[in-house]
Amino acid sequence: MEQRILKIALDTPLDFAFDYRWSGDADLSPVPQAGHLAAVPFGRREVVGVIAAIGEHSDLPQDKLKDVLAVRTQLAPLSAAWLALCRFAADYYQRPLGEVAIPGLPKNLRALKPLSLDRALKKLAKEESTHDATPADMPVLNAEQQQAADAIAAAEGFAPTLLYGVTGSGKTEVYLQAAVRILAHTAHTRNPAQILILVPEINLTPQLENNVRARFPGVTVATLHSGLAEGERMAHWLAAHLGQARIVLGTRLAILASLPHLKLIIIDEEHDPSYKQQEGLRYSARDLAVWRARQLAIPIVLGSATPSLETWHHAQSGRYRKLELRERAIKDAVLPAVRLIDMERDKPAEGITSTLIAALKRRLENGEQSLLFLNRRGYAPVINCDACGWVSNCTRCTAFMVLHKPENRLRCHHCSLELRIPKSCPTCGNVDLQPLGRGTQRIEENLQRVFPQARILRIDADSTRRKGSAQAAFDSVHRGDVDILIGTQMVAKGHDFKNLTLVGILNPDTALFSHDYRASERLFAQLMQVSGRAGRAAQKEGGSASEVLIQTRYPQHPLYGAVIAHDYDRFATALLEERAQAGLPPFIYQALLRAEARELPIALDFLQQASACVEHPGITINDPIPMTMTRVANVDRAQLLVECASRPALQAFLKVWMGALREIKTRARWSLEVDPVDI
Ligand code: ADP
Ligand code: ZN
Ligand code: ZN
């Protein structure tokens, strides 16, 4: 008989691995290793955790040590590199290891029931065979694409690369042809390479998945995103873990996948805010990806037409290599002309100016598609009473209830409260309540009146709630069944619409004056990206030149000037200078402590104590303040921003601080976010 002490990471809020005893006969049952999953008793429950380390001794007395119930030795252990990644993320984001390592595992692995690996893998094989593998031709790369693909395929060791290519420059093709070569290098070795490709939106995976499958017939492709059914997730996760999947495509959560033979990471649209998880473990998949690439000493490619300022800064300072694609890839496809429509001169009727209506009309006559972008869903953001000034405030949040006309409801987008639309003003009884402002539903309704023959489709979170409906909607656009597409940021990203020659941007001004210092970076990227959906094919004979029309009340604003000039460089350089002078990221590092409670003073009081509980030389602790949207779902929220010029110094402080914070007696719930993006 042998005995081992297993240190097991469990998905609990407690910040350590738990000791359990394993005893067995090594001749009869395989000895557990770090990275194996193990079922253990925990309180009155039985749970599955990951063996983080194995030792001979425990600090616990023998009679307190519980026995492991079972070790899943039939599943190859998660690798040391994977455990190191989880450990790094846990450390860096100040969360328990188990909270990083466990939730990403498929549910069936986390359950106590016996495993059937065969069944899961058969499911994948069946899925594979339903995809028709008609190999697609590889287009001949243009000179810049070729250089980029060569450079990526030839890179050795940790080689972070920014692939900076204008919208439509064919970045995907560069990734795929680099991937072809990396896979070919190792195809006949014992451990063929795996490649991880991350995309920001689940809706972009099918498009890329089709491209990848067409390009790599016979290669197992796994996808990992939150839309998978449990059985699919299990099959795809296993294919990645067992090294069978050569290409793994996924959204941010895929960065924590087990990929034992990972040789290249690609992050498409690396600037996209979706790479940041906004709850629980608030990680940046992009930052973790760079760490993972460094640890494995492999190349990583960050692709974008509008890189994040962090990445741009690294490229400018030479830490990342910059590869540039200046032209659109398709012959004669050119970037659209961007024009501003001054709304003071051309007064919009129902949210749309006559200039934009005329441009839409031309597209309809030419049989071309148009896209109207408005980042506000619902019918109207608020309803009000002209007589007494009543507005539809949410009773539980510092926010308006949004009018949703198809369902005849008022809805709070923050706490999901739903109400029937009042027949009359709750304060004065006036029956004439007015919708104020416009969301996508109202624009759709109005356009259908102006263009009764047009096939109009709205794509936003409301119109795509059913599983598969977003995909069906995008398919119908690609098939040409849609003349005018109206949508929120869902339609702005990555999509390769071939017949689209007009983009109208309805109401971007509000973001110009936001209190959030990142708002202009985000707005600029969004405008460049949505503009980039136009003119992705060559102009047809007799067809219209592609254009982007932006409706604004501030036509002089320099941000719009940079969009018109398609000049990311100049804009980014100016923003970086501002950030350097103002002492903002990426020149300093931040962490945000949030507190919430039934009453604001409780949250503020906790933050006050937090700001004074440890010495903090070299660290700036700002005053606690209520969050801009103070109340959500009857809970008041406040925050405290911590800043430091050195990342290691900030990290060292946070470690000590977390310990002290846990000692504070408070009724507030609190959480810490490292590198916050919404302040
Ligand atoms: P990006 O991601 O840079 O915005 P995409 O990768 O979507 O651009 O490519 C834009 C379009 O150009 C796609 O339709 C793609 O098939 C096409 N394309 C890419 N490279 C080439 C090439 N070398 N020759 C012809 N077409 C290309
Ligand atoms: Zn009233
Ligand atoms: Zn609410």
Side-chain angles (χ1 to χ4, degrees):
M1 283 296 264
E2 292 178 52
Q3 183 175 311
R4 299 276 199 293
I5 302 299
L6 310 185
K7 312 245 173 223
I8 300 190
L10 300 175
D11 185 10
T12 72
L14 299 172
D15 187 17
F16 46 83
F18 297 81
D19 285 3
Y20 286 90
R21 182 172 45 212
W22 175 87
S23 33
D25 187 336
D27 290 337
L28 296 177
S29 53
V31 177
Q33 300 170 36
H36 271 136
L37 301 181
V40 295
F42 185 70
R44 266 183 260 156
R45 291 177 306 145
E46 291 174 356
V47 295
V48 171
V50 178
I51 303 177
I54 297 186
E56 306 282 326
H57 303 287
S58 172
D59 292 339
L60 288 177
Q62 278 287 332
D63 60 336
K64 284 266 162 18
L65 267 178
K66 290 185 187 155
D67 286 312
V68 172
L69 300 172
V71 178
R72 286 235 148 107
T73 45
Q74 92 228 63
L75 184 71
L78 290 146
S79 67
W82 183 84
L83 275 172
L85 172 69
C86 294
R87 218 172 258 130
F88 166 76
D91 236 49
Y92 185 80
Y93 294 111
Q94 313 290 333
R95 309 290 294 210
L97 175 60
E99 195 189 3
V100 179
I102 311 285
L105 302 174
K107 278 221 174 68
N108 282 343
L109 288 183
R110 283 184 275 152
L112 293 160
K113 54 182 184 218
L115 264 185
S116 168
L117 297 184
D118 283 353
R119 221 175 58 217
L121 289 173
K122 266 195 206 122
K123 186 172 167 70
L124 186 73
K126 204 163 125 216
E127 258 182 55
E128 293 268 304
S129 64
T130 61
H131 291 280
D132 46 356
T134 36
D137 294 336
M138 288 218 266
V140 180
L141 297 183
N142 64 34
E144 282 182 328
Q145 283 178 310
Q146 190 64 55
Q147 266 179 10
D150 289 347
I152 295 165
E156 275 175 27
F158 175 56
T161 300
L162 166 62
L163 180 60
Y164 170 51
V166 298
T167 53
S169 57
K171 293 184 283 294
T172 316
E173 208 46 54
V174 172
Y175 308 146
L176 296 184
Q177 300 211 15
V180 166
R181 282 159 56 189
I182 289 175
L183 292 187
H185 287 324
T186 61
H188 303 292
T189 62
R190 246 181 41 175
N191 294 326
Q194 294 182 296
I195 294 175
L196 174 64
I197 308 180
L198 297 184
V199 291
E201 280 258 339
I202 205 171
N203 301 315
L204 289 167
T205 50
Q207 185 178 326
L208 185 57
E209 188 180 345
N210 288 339
N211 285 340
V212 170
R213 287 188 193 278
R215 193 57 57 76
F216 301 94
V219 166
T220 301
V221 179
T223 52
L224 288 171
H225 54 72
S226 59
L228 295 180
E230 223 24 75
E232 291 171 308
R233 186 198 312 281
M234 174 77 166
H236 290 236
W237 187 93
L238 269 182
H241 175 63
L242 299 175
Q244 294 181 348
R246 296 287 120 73
I247 298 185
V248 174
L249 265 177
T251 51
R252 63 169 181 262
L253 55 85
I255 193 54
L256 289 169
S258 162
L259 294 155
H261 309 305
L262 185 59
K263 291 291 177 290
L264 172 67
I265 304 178
I266 290 162
I267 307 193
D268 193 22
E269 314 288 1
E270 69 87 32
H271 63 276
D272 200 287
S274 316
Y275 285 121
K276 182 80 198 312
Q277 164 95 6
Q278 291 290 34
E279 59 196 23
L281 176 75
R282 292 169 175 254
Y283 63 95
S284 155
R286 182 192 62 218
D287 295 351
L288 287 183
V290 172
W291 191 89
R292 198 171 184 179
R294 183 202 309 272
Q295 171 216 26
L296 295 173
I298 61 170
I300 176 167
V301 181
L302 304 137
S304 179
T306 53
S308 63
L309 284 190
E310 281 78 5
T311 298
W312 187 251
H313 182 50
H314 288 323
Q316 297 301 69
S317 68
R319 284 187 59 198
Y320 293 1
R321 178 175 47 172
K322 184 165 81 182
L323 302 171
E324 219 172 314
L325 307 176
R326 292 179 184 81
E327 307 271 313
R328 286 203 154 168
I330 290 185
K331 193 167 171 300
D332 297 330
V334 286
L335 287 172
V338 180
R339 267 192 286 280
L340 303 178
I341 305 175
D342 184 347
M343 288 159 85
E344 296 300 335
R345 293 211 196 141
D346 185 355
K347 293 250 190 297
E350 283 293 329
I352 307 184
T353 57
S354 59
T355 314
L356 184 50
I357 293 282
L360 286 166
K361 187 155 176 282
R362 242 178 354 262
R363 295 325 186 277
L364 286 169
E365 287 162 3
N366 283 345
E368 295 161 356
Q369 293 177 313
S370 305
L371 163 63
L372 293 188
F373 172 68
L374 173 62
N375 217 357
R376 177 176 273 163
R377 62 193 174 86
Y379 187 85
V382 60
I383 60 173
N384 99 319
C385 167
D386 258 352
C388 75
W390 174 86
V391 288
S392 56
N393 282 314
C394 176
T395 51
R396 313 197 300 169
C397 309
T398 328
F400 293 132
M401 302 280 289
V402 178
L403 173 60
H404 282 254
K405 205 158 175 196
E407 303 89 352
N408 254 309
R409 291 288 207 166
L410 291 177
R411 224 179 245 159
C412 174
H413 289 181
H414 303 280
C415 72
S416 308
L417 180 67
E418 272 203 30
L419 299 172
R420 241 173 306 159
I421 301 169
K423 294 230 158 38
S424 60
C425 173
T427 330
C428 75
N430 173 16
V431 292
D432 192 19
L433 296 176
Q434 296 295 328
L436 279 188
R438 270 166 203 87
T440 45
Q441 292 171 356
R442 192 167 185 181
I443 295 295
E444 180 189 17
E445 181 187 274
N446 176 48
L447 268 188
Q448 201 69 75
R449 247 195 322 262
V450 179
F451 300 115
Q453 309 301 330
R455 297 164 301 171
I456 298 176
L457 179 70
R458 170 169 57 88
I459 300 189
D460 57 26
D462 298 312
S463 76
T464 54
R465 262 182 226 292
R466 260 181 314 108
K467 187 172 154 82
S469 58
Q471 187 50 33
F474 284 113
D475 285 347
S476 73
V477 181
H478 287 297
R479 265 200 315 271
D481 296 345
V482 173
D483 300 316
I484 303 175
L485 173 61
I486 301 169
T488 54
Q489 43 86 26
M490 271 182 79
V491 303
K493 306 176 178 184
H495 295 280
D496 191 29
F497 302 126
K498 283 287 183 337
N499 193 28
L500 202 138
T501 61
L502 173 69
V503 169
I505 299 173
L506 295 189
N507 193 9
D509 287 345
T510 39
L512 290 177
F513 307 105
S514 166
H515 64 279
D516 181 347
Y517 72 88
R518 278 180 213 268
S520 52
E521 175 186 357
R522 246 182 249 141
L523 175 62
F524 183 77
Q526 204 165 49
L527 295 181
M528 294 280 278
Q529 292 295 337
V530 70
S531 302
R533 298 317 108 203
R536 295 173 75 89
Q539 185 175 345
K540 291 204 191 100
E541 207 167 305
S544 2
S546 66
E547 64 180 340
V548 175
L549 299 175
I550 303 177
Q551 299 191 157
T552 175
R553 294 208 155 74
Y554 304 92
Q556 305 306 328
H557 198 287
L559 186 143
Y560 294 133
V563 176
I564 292 175
H566 299 282
D567 196 348
Y568 173 84
D569 282 38
R570 199 181 47 170
F571 183 75
T573 306
L575 263 192
L576 272 179
E577 245 164 60
E578 271 177 44
R579 298 259 185 105
Q581 271 168 19
L584 289 168
F587 299 96
I588 57 134
Y589 302 90
Q590 299 179 323
L592 191 69
L593 183 63
R594 290 194 175 83
E596 43 180 69
R598 276 299 149 109
E599 287 126 42
L600 188 60
I602 297 176
L604 287 170
D605 176 67
F606 166 76
L607 295 178
Q608 203 62 55
Q609 291 187 56
S611 66
C613 70
V614 288
E615 295 282 304
H616 50 85
I619 308 275
T620 307
I621 298 189
N622 292 281
D623 288 336
I625 49 170
M627 285 171 66
T628 315
M629 187 180 292
T630 309
R631 202 167 180 76
V632 168
N634 283 332
V635 172
D636 281 342
R637 312 172 317 157
Q639 65 184 37
L640 174 67
L641 183 66
V642 174
E643 300 173 293
C644 182
S646 142
R647 203 201 288 270
L650 180 61
Q651 280 286 318
F653 165 74
L654 293 179
K655 259 257 116 74
V656 177
W657 200 34
M658 281 298 279
L661 293 179
R662 290 197 189 98
E663 300 298 312
I664 297 179
K665 295 247 176 313
T666 176
R667 280 186 290 143
R669 281 166 41 106
W670 57 269
S671 64
L672 183 75
E673 177 172 9
V674 182
D675 303 331
V677 289
D678 275 311
I679 297 181

